[in-house]
């Protein structure tokens, strides 16, 4: 037995490609039912801090400061939803709802503030700046100041209120928030349409929470969840 040689594999014939080696994948760890419920509660409330931060971002002074944490919270919510339900179609609707929650609140809340508190004010255009997007479309942003010389928070206006450098030196009327929270908006801006995004954001938040609830219930109904529950009970008895 000591002198027995190890069996060697036969060499492959010339021109024969060896088959690829199988990679053994470790199974992803399953969450216990208690961890699924806790994670579902946290993920289900993700839209609350996201919309809250983006509501503060309606003031341009806090836009960058609040948008980045809102994106991080949204990313953590998607990752948490992936822990709850790693399989199936859950992630793609969550990403779509998350995009709506990241895009709509700031612009729609600004429109609501301007529509309810905006005062028509005469301003003078002092400068114009252009920028191009990826499609080559040129957009303009104009620097403005009040015609009566009073201070104007967030002295810029874009969209249809600024069409180019030819506007420099001209006087026009814009809607100004007296409290200085929302930036000025042109008179021809469709504030009613933009403001309706508040209701779309609320609907997206509710759908996100319902999606999280459905994902958690489907996970808890699987046999692995029952096995995890039995292991939790066994640990509780032995501790």
């Amino acid at each position: 037995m000591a002198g027995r040689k190890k069996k060697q594999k036969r060499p492959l014939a010339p021109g024969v490609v060896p088959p690829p080696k199988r990679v053994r994948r470790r199974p992803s760890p399953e969450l216990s039912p208690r961890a699924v419920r806790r994670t579902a509660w946290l993920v289900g409330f993700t839209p609350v801090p996201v919309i809250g931060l983006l509501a503060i971002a309606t003031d341009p002074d806090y836009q960058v400061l609040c948008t980045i944490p809102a994106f991080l919270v949204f990313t953590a919510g998607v990752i948490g939803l992936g822990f709850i339900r790693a399989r199936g179609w859950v992630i793609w609707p969550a990403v779509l709802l998350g995009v709506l929650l990241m895009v709509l609140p700031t612009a729609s809340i600004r429109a609501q503030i301007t529509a309810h508190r905006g005062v028509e004010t005469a301003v003078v255009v002092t400068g114009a700046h252009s920028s191009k997007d990826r499609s080559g479309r040129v957009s303009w942003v104009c620097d403005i100041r009040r015609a009566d010389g009073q201070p104007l928070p967030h002295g810029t206006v874009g969209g249809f209120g600024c069409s180019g450098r030819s506007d420099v030196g001209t006087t026009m009327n814009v809607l100004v928030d007296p409290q200085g929270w929302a930036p000025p908006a042109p008179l021809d801006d469709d504030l009613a349409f933009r403001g309706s995004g508040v209701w779309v954001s609320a609907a997206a938040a509710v759908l996100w929470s319902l999606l999280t609830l459905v994902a958690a219930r489907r996970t808890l109904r699987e046999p692995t969840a029952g096995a995890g529950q039995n292991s939790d009970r066994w640990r509780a008895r032995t501790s």
Side-chain angles (χ1 to χ4, degrees):
M1 296 297 295
R4 185 176 179 180
K5 295 183 179 180
K6 186 177 180 180
K7 187 177 180 180
Q8 297 181 354
K9 296 182 180 180
R10 295 181 180 179
L12 296 176
V16 177
V17 180
K21 296 182 179 180
R22 294 182 179 180
V23 179
R24 296 182 179 179
R25 298 182 178 179
R26 297 181 180 180
S28 57
E30 299 289 344
L31 295 178
S32 65
R34 183 180 301 177
V36 170
R37 295 187 185 96
R38 291 179 178 178
T39 307
W41 275 104
L42 293 175
V43 174
F45 280 100
T46 298
V48 176
V50 170
I51 295 178
L53 289 169
L54 294 179
I56 301 175
T58 54
D59 188 338
D61 294 337
Y62 304 102
Q63 184 170 1
V64 178
L65 187 63
C66 294
T67 303
I68 295 177
F71 177 76
L72 295 178
V73 173
F74 160 66
T75 305
V78 174
I79 294 175
L81 190 59
F83 280 119
I84 296 173
R85 188 73 181 173
R87 299 177 297 274
W89 48 268
V90 176
I91 297 298
W92 297 112
V95 172
L96 177 60
L97 294 174
V99 170
L100 293 177
L101 291 173
M102 288 296 301
V103 172
L104 293 179
T106 300
S108 57
I109 294 175
R110 280 180 181 174
Q112 288 284 354
I113 293 175
T114 306
H116 289 83
R117 299 193 314 206
V119 177
E120 187 173 345
T121 306
V123 297
V124 179
V125 179
T126 59
H129 312 279
S130 63
S131 60
K132 284 186 178 181
D133 56 11
R134 294 182 178 179
S135 61
R137 183 180 178 182
V138 180
S139 59
W140 291 87
V141 175
C142 287
D143 299 329
I144 58 176
R145 61 174 176 81
R146 291 184 60 142
D148 55 9
Q150 296 183 9
L152 177 65
H154 320 303
T156 57
V157 66
F160 297 103
C162 179
S163 58
R165 293 188 177 89
S166 60
D167 294 334
V168 176
T170 60
T171 301
M172 62 180 180
N173 293 335
V174 296
L175 292 175
V176 176
D177 178 17
Q179 299 184 12
W181 187 266
L187 295 179
D188 52 1
D189 199 355
D190 192 356
L191 298 176
F193 177 76
R194 290 175 55 194
S196 61
V198 173
W199 306 107
V200 179
S201 301
V206 174
L207 290 176
W208 174 284
S209 300
L210 292 177
L211 183 66
T212 305
L213 177 62
V214 171
R217 293 188 64 179
R218 289 178 66 89
T219 300
L220 291 173
R221 288 179 180 178
E222 292 180 352
T224 53
Q229 189 173 6
N230 294 332
S231 63
D232 289 344
R233 291 176 180 176
W234 180 82
R235 291 175 184 175
R237 291 178 182 177
T238 55
S239 59

